[in-house]
Amino acid sequence: MLSGWIEMSQISRAQVLHVKEMEYIQAARTIGAGNRHIIFGEILPNIMGKMITQIMISIPAAVFLEAFLSFVGLGMPPGSCSLGTLLSEGFKSVLLHPYQLIPSAVLMILLIVGSHLVANGLKKATE
Amino acid sequence: MSKTDVSKKALLSVNDLCMYFDSAGRRIKAAEHVSFEINEGEVFGLVGESGSGKSSIGKCIIGLNRATSGSISFHGTELTGIKSRREYTEKMRDIQMIFQDPMSSLNPKKQVGQIIRDALKIQHIGKDAKERDKMAADAFRRVGIPVEYADRYPRSFSGGQRQRIGIARALAGKPKLVIADECIAALDASVQAQIVNMINEIKKETGTAFLFISHDLSMVRFLSDRIGVLHLGYLLETGTAEEIFREPMHPYTRKLLGAIPRCQCRILLRAANHSVRLSATTLR
């Protein structure tokens, strides 16, 4: 959680560096546009798509990380509702009572695949 | 100087302009004591091979690069040494620029009409939104883009159309001088001809002066009233288009003229050889 912003800031920095060399930024400069106009009016709309996509991609990653930590017992305390806790409880008795594992596993898969599909859709829409 | 030059008033005069780039301890000289004048309503062609400093001079005039020394005066006001942005915007309203790459000179996230209206708004041209709308529509009409297309995004236009829109942006505020920095280099030949013809018409109709920066000598010859030949930052000679093409004074100009490709195969080959030799000599 502490380091979650690093990737995001790297990506937006790289995008800004890329966009600010475009000729339309120079065009804005030649007519005397201020920094505020150039940052919010010219650059931000052009990196918005990439930033939204990045947020959407980081959601399934966060879900997976939480589930993983709970699964190995580092996350939520036992008893609270978490996919990872459910999975680890179900995993202990998977041979006798598979119905304890399967619903939470299916839910996990649907959640991650679903948010990936949404992220992809957004990526295509913003391009 | 020919007679026509004396009768006209100088719109822009560049005096003893030097521009150096300092990078990694090396000093790259983009312009060395360059002086020339552009008169009202005239097209001044600046030619030279790539790296000769053509674009740097253009960018110096518009203020994207800072001159190391020398002066640039426009309509009698000095442009070098302006500090505040407001003062600059006020003075630069009459100078506009057309960029090289039509693919990246328009913001892809803005409707093309918006691009032109924003440009006018930033420069405080036009009283209100309505007037700016009208000015943008006029600019579209002048470059032959249907006004209905104003709410489309740049991606739905071809390269030639985008360059027209770039020209419309430059012309919308009725500037006195337009700097066209390699504005036809990225287009294919037939579109180049269209754009050049259009610039010619605009010049005749509105009396706008152009600084036409290009390495395409045949286009420069067609369009320019006067030509300056630039080589490694030095302005070797200036003269009317006829003078330069009929009796070039400087040997480099002669070489440059010899390198214009012509339609016959043998001459084309010779020209190609020539330009190779030319670049070999300049590397030395």
Side-chain angles (χ1 to χ4, degrees), chain B residues 103-233:
Chain B
M103 294 299 164
S104 79
S105 64
L106 303 173
N107 190 335
K109 296 286 171 188
K110 276 189 189 173
Q111 297 164 352
V112 292
Q114 190 64 38
I115 290 175
I116 294 180
R117 283 195 296 273
D118 276 2
L120 291 172
K121 195 175 173 194
I122 289 167
Q123 297 173 89
H124 310 290
I125 299 171
K127 283 195 295 289
D128 47 21
K130 213 179 231 173
E131 196 183 334
R132 285 195 283 267
D133 258 2
K134 209 179 138 286
M135 290 172 93
D138 281 346
F140 274 125
R141 225 167 282 134
R142 205 180 307 154
V143 297
I145 300 276
V147 181
E148 306 88 78
Y149 291 180
D151 56 357
R152 298 193 181 180
Y153 288 90
R155 64 166 174 272
S156 48
F157 294 95
S158 69
Q161 283 174 317
R162 286 190 209 191
Q163 196 58 295
R164 281 165 191 268
I165 293 162
I167 294 172
R169 170 175 59 190
L171 291 173
K174 301 195 171 53
K176 296 200 171 65
L177 173 69
V178 174
I179 298 171
D181 184 4
E182 297 268 19
C183 72
I184 53 168
L187 306 170
D188 57 38
S190 64
V191 183
Q192 278 186 357
Q194 286 173 15
I195 297 286
V196 164
N197 280 328
M198 201 182 73
I199 291 177
N200 214 7
E201 272 164 32
I202 289 164
K203 171 201 148 198
K204 277 182 192 142
E205 278 169 27
T206 61
T208 312
F210 282 86
L211 172 62
F212 189 74
I213 298 170
S214 179
H215 56 250
D216 188 339
L217 284 158
S218 44
M219 289 296 178
V220 171
R221 179 184 198 173
F222 174 74
L223 205 56
S224 306
D225 300 306
R226 289 193 307 130
I227 293 176
V229 181
L230 205 65
H231 177 55
L232 298 176

Side-chain angles (χ1 to χ4, degrees), chain A residues 51-127:
Chain A
M51 283 167 75
I52 290 172
T53 316
Q54 180 55 30
I55 291 170
M56 288 312 291
I57 284 174
S58 63
I59 286 175
V63 169
F64 185 79
L65 184 71
E66 192 277 330
F68 169 74
L69 287 177
S70 304
F71 186 79
V72 297
L74 290 170
M76 298 279 210
S80 63
C81 189
S82 149
L83 271 178
T85 330
L86 287 176
L87 280 171
S88 79
E89 288 300 317
F91 189 65
K92 282 172 193 157
S93 49
V94 67
L95 288 176
L96 289 172
H97 310 292
Y99 56 87
Q100 285 190 354
L101 176 69
I102 289 167
S104 43
V106 168
L107 187 64
M108 177 97 186
I109 291 166
L110 283 180
L111 197 60
I112 289 177
V113 170
S115 31
H116 261 298
L117 288 177
V118 171
N120 263 333
L122 273 175
K123 194 175 174 183
K124 286 208 179 101
T126 52
E127 262 164 14

Side-chain angles (χ1 to χ4, degrees), chain A residues 21-35 37 41-43 45-46 49 126-127, chain B residues 59 62 64 85 88-89 92 96-97 99-101 104-110 118-119 122-123 169:
Chain A
E21 296 304 321
M22 302 301 260
E23 271 182 345
Y24 53 83
I25 306 296
Q26 279 189 10
R29 281 221 184 283
T30 59
I31 57 174
N35 287 337
H37 173 85
E42 310 279 345
I43 295 179
N46 281 295
T126 52
E127 262 164 14
Chain B
K59 283 180 179 168
I62 198 105
L64 284 174
R85 200 162 56 80
Y88 184 78
T89 315
M92 297 305 272
Q96 294 290 327
M97 189 154 184
F99 289 87
Q100 176 172 9
D101 181 9
S104 79
S105 64
L106 303 173
N107 190 335
K109 296 286 171 188
K110 276 189 189 173
D118 276 2
I122 289 167
Q123 297 173 89
R169 170 175 59 190

Side-chain angles (χ1 to χ4, degrees), chain B residues 15 21 27 45 78 91 152 160 165 201 204 235 259 267:
Chain B
N15 264 313
F21 291 103
R27 170 160 277 196
E78 183 60 41
K91 284 184 179 157
R152 298 193 181 180
I165 293 162
E201 272 164 32
K204 277 182 192 142
L235 192 62
I267 299 177

